[in-house]
Amino acid sequence: MPKHSPSTLDPRSPLVLDTRDLPRRPGALREVQRVVPAPADLGVELIGVPEGADLDLDLRLQSVSEGVLVSGTITGPIRGECGRCLREINESMAVTIQELYAYENSTTDATTDEDEVGRMQGDLIDLEPALRDALVLTLPTNPLCREDCPGLCPECGVHWDDLPADHSHQQIDPRWAGLSQLTRTEE
Ligand SMILES: [Zn+2]
Ligand SMILES: [Zn+2]
């Protein structure tokens, strides 16, 4: 579990939202629409958002009594490898975010665990942990190029799509065929 990050947020960081122009009055709203570069290692082992790819933020920031509620969607490309045939997967993903970020020194800040409710640093909100959590839930643990991908022939490594229906490795190699002839004569 990620504990309190001691690092100070950088307002210029692509996934840090600055709420300076959002009045701290419950109900106040700001829309955030922007495209930012994806951070490194956004995803799971076999599939994820390539570093630097365009992440499309379409978010709504709403002041509530104890902090800021961030909701909306983040979309971007995902790239990976089919778990059965290793073909490249190029898709896009959309994750829905709905997170409350408590003001520093608010009651929520004092009475909740950081794993339950996000924290603001001054006027800044770090979206990255919420995005990572949401994305990991969205991504398939066993990505496939298509639902019914038949995978590769275990003998020759060719995709079953590219092989004739009767493809098999049952026939005996001519060299071994000769050898089996030999064995038979010895008997
Ligand atoms: Zn596949
Ligand atoms: Zn084969």
Side-chain angles (χ1 to χ4, degrees):
M1 279 288 120
K3 268 290 151 200
H4 198 96
S5 57
S7 58
T8 310
L9 293 179
D10 179 356
R12 286 161 306 173
S13 170
L15 286 165
V16 170
L17 302 175
D18 194 338
T19 66
R20 233 175 341 181
D21 63 346
L22 177 69
R24 290 195 172 191
R25 165 170 41 80
L29 272 179
R30 283 290 177 277
E31 306 263 327
V32 173
Q33 263 142 357
R34 63 162 102 130
V35 177
V36 301
D41 304 318
L42 192 58
V44 292
E45 197 184 338
L46 287 170
I47 194 160
V49 181
E51 185 177 359
D54 284 354
L55 285 178
D56 226 312
L57 311 190
D58 186 3
L59 303 170
R60 225 166 78 116
L61 277 54
Q62 185 181 358
S63 285
V64 292
S65 56
E66 298 272 310
V68 174
L69 182 67
V70 178
S71 56
T73 53
I74 298 178
T75 50
I78 52 172
R79 199 157 301 154
E81 221 171 54
C82 175
R84 288 188 197 147
C85 73
L86 312 178
R87 276 183 184 168
E88 194 176 272
I89 300 175
N90 272 305
E91 282 171 24
S92 58
M93 59 86 198
V95 296
T96 308
I97 301 264
Q98 182 153 40
E99 284 280 319
L100 175 67
Y101 294 88
Y103 295 134
E104 279 176 325
N105 308 317
S106 63
T107 314
T108 306
D109 185 11
T111 58
T112 61
D113 195 27
E114 203 176 340
D115 295 336
E116 306 163 51
V117 182
R119 294 291 189 271
M120 293 179 68
Q121 257 183 39
D123 290 320
L124 302 179
I125 289 174
D126 184 11
L127 267 186
E128 197 171 318
L131 172 60
R132 286 185 182 279
D133 289 353
L135 186 69
V136 165
L137 293 176
T138 309
L139 293 173
T141 40
N142 184 20
L144 297 175
C145 61
R146 61 172 210 262
E147 209 51 53
D148 61 347
C149 172
L152 306 175
C153 168
E155 293 285 322
C156 63
V158 175
H159 200 286
W160 283 111
D161 282 354
D162 304 328
L163 292 168
D166 62 350
H167 173 76
S168 89
H169 293 267
Q170 292 310 308
Q171 68 268 48
I172 301 159
D173 186 297
R175 284 165 297 171
W176 298 111
L179 198 66
S180 71
Q181 212 85 62
L182 208 68
T183 328
R184 205 164 299 146
T185 29
E186 268 174 20
E187 273 169 13

